[in-house]
Amino acid sequence: MDTLPRWLPTTYNLTTELPQFVSYFQQRESKGLDNHWICKPWNLARGLDMNITNNLNHIVRLPDTGPKVACKYIEEPVLFTREEVVFTREEVGAVKFDLRFIVLLSSVQPLKVFVYEKFWLRFANKQFSLDALDDYEKHFTVMNYREDADWKQLYCDDFVKEFEEQNPDQQWSNVMADILSVIGSVMECATSKPPPAGIAHSPQSRAMYGVDMMLAWRRNERGDKYIQPMLCEFNYSPDCARACQYYGSFFDDVFSALFFDDIEGRPILRL
């Protein structure tokens, strides 16, 4: 019962597609398939008002609190072991994480998209398992807006080294190539039709997006495991405070790409 594209979790708008969602949920249930869903308000951010559940009765009532989309929860995410946090939280081991990329759109016709090469990591604070679904620090990674939560940080270069040590059969360069392919596909789709279905061409306009990705384990026809990047969100005009703290030339690089097409010697790729 997989849906396409493979990098997009199966998603339903609970305001306009509730009957279709209920039918799909019940079909998965009858086949004994995992039925955990994350329900998000499309008009909020920073992890506000999100719910993770496998209870259909709970899900169908969520639109009463505001517009929601239901996305299939990634039941087998690629995890990351943070050994240094074990000393403060004994239960921490292999935790969820996501990746934040900065994507720049300087033109729709012709399509001109850039990606900032440096990305940001966000980690859960407790070991992952498909239980305690209301435990924020187990199932969510956005900790920088919560005063009472630990906030673990890691530069992307250090992450890549540790990732390959923890997953010796996986090369980060291949994962990164798949991530860039996903971002390119999204931007092609988003600009393929005129408004309101797509992004309008406007020569004087520029846009910056914060793109959140997760990595999931999937199996091919032979049963071999592989890593599938999964798109979580595209956020317009994202918070860039951490980008500026990590990389002092961040906005110089961004503006050079967006307004001068100048990416030479800068950590920016053109898709």
Side-chain angles (χ1 to χ4, degrees):
M1 296 188 65
D2 292 337
T3 56
L4 298 175
R6 296 188 184 279
W7 43 260
L8 182 67
T10 302
T11 302
Y12 288 90
N13 185 325
L14 294 181
T15 301
T16 61
E17 300 176 311
L18 186 58
Q20 295 91 326
F21 166 75
V22 171
S23 174
Y24 185 78
F25 185 100
Q26 292 174 334
Q27 290 180 58
R28 292 187 65 89
E29 188 174 50
S30 68
K31 295 177 183 295
L33 300 175
D34 179 82
N35 235 349
H36 288 83
W37 295 78
I38 180 168
C39 301
K40 314 175 184 181
W42 53 258
N43 59 342
L44 294 177
R46 301 183 177 181
L48 296 173
D49 197 20
M50 290 189 181
N51 293 264
I52 300 169
T53 181
N54 59 357
N55 187 313
L56 180 60
N57 291 330
H58 178 68
I59 295 174
V60 298
R61 288 171 171 78
L62 287 176
D64 292 341
T65 65
K68 300 286 191 303
V69 293
C71 303
K72 181 65 187 67
Y73 192 53
I74 299 173
E75 71 274 13
E76 193 176 2
V78 176
L79 303 176
F80 189 82
T81 301
R82 296 297 307 272
E83 295 181 357
E84 75 277 14
V85 299
V86 174
F87 297 104
T88 57
R89 292 177 176 272
E90 293 183 358
E91 72 272 18
V92 174
V95 301
K96 283 182 62 175
F97 67 93
D98 67 12
L99 312 158
R100 163 60 65 93
F101 291 87
I102 298 298
V103 175
L104 310 172
L105 176 64
S106 65
S107 173
V108 171
Q109 296 177 359
L111 182 59
K112 192 178 296 184
V113 179
F114 303 94
V115 177
Y116 195 70
E117 286 186 304
K118 306 296 183 181
F119 55 90
W120 289 266
L121 284 304
R122 299 183 298 193
F123 298 94
N125 282 339
K126 294 183 179 180
Q127 182 168 308
F128 176 77
S129 58
L130 273 177
D131 56 13
L133 300 178
D134 59 349
D135 189 335
Y136 187 92
E137 294 192 54
K138 173 180 288 203
H139 292 282
F140 291 91
T141 60
V142 181
M143 303 295 169
N144 48 312
Y145 300 111
R146 297 171 63 90
E147 295 181 359
D148 59 340
D150 292 332
W151 182 20
K152 310 305 176 189
Q153 302 184 62
L154 190 66
Y155 282 97
C156 59
D157 293 338
D158 296 329
F159 165 80
V160 169
K161 180 180 178 181
E162 292 190 38
F163 174 88
E164 292 187 334
E165 289 176 354
Q166 295 180 23
N167 301 277
D169 295 333
Q170 304 292 330
Q171 291 188 336
W172 181 255
S173 58
N174 295 333
V175 177
M176 188 65 180
D178 290 339
I179 289 173
L180 295 177
S181 176
V182 170
I183 294 173
S185 296
V186 173
M187 298 307 297
E188 289 176 359
C189 180
T191 58
S192 63
K193 295 183 178 181
I199 300 174
H201 174 61
S202 178
Q204 71 271 25
S205 299
R206 305 291 188 274
M208 177 164 60
Y209 302 92
V211 180
D212 297 334
M213 306 282 293
M214 286 186 64
L215 305 177
W217 290 111
R218 295 289 187 260
R219 295 186 182 275
N220 59 25
E221 295 178 353
R222 299 188 304 273
D224 301 325
K225 294 178 70 173
Y226 68 94
I227 291 177
Q228 173 64 62
M230 302 296 289
L231 176 65
C232 298
E233 296 180 2
F234 248 76
N235 299 281
Y236 176 72
S237 190
D239 179 359
C240 293
R242 187 156 54 140
C244 295
Q245 292 171 0
Y246 276 41
Y247 305 105
S249 65
F250 173 75
F251 271 115
D252 287 340
D253 296 332
V254 166
F255 273 75
S256 293
L258 282 177
F259 294 97
F260 298 107
D261 285 346
D262 176 16
I263 61 174
E264 185 175 356
R266 302 181 185 276
I268 293 180
L269 297 172
R270 179 173 178 181
L271 295 185

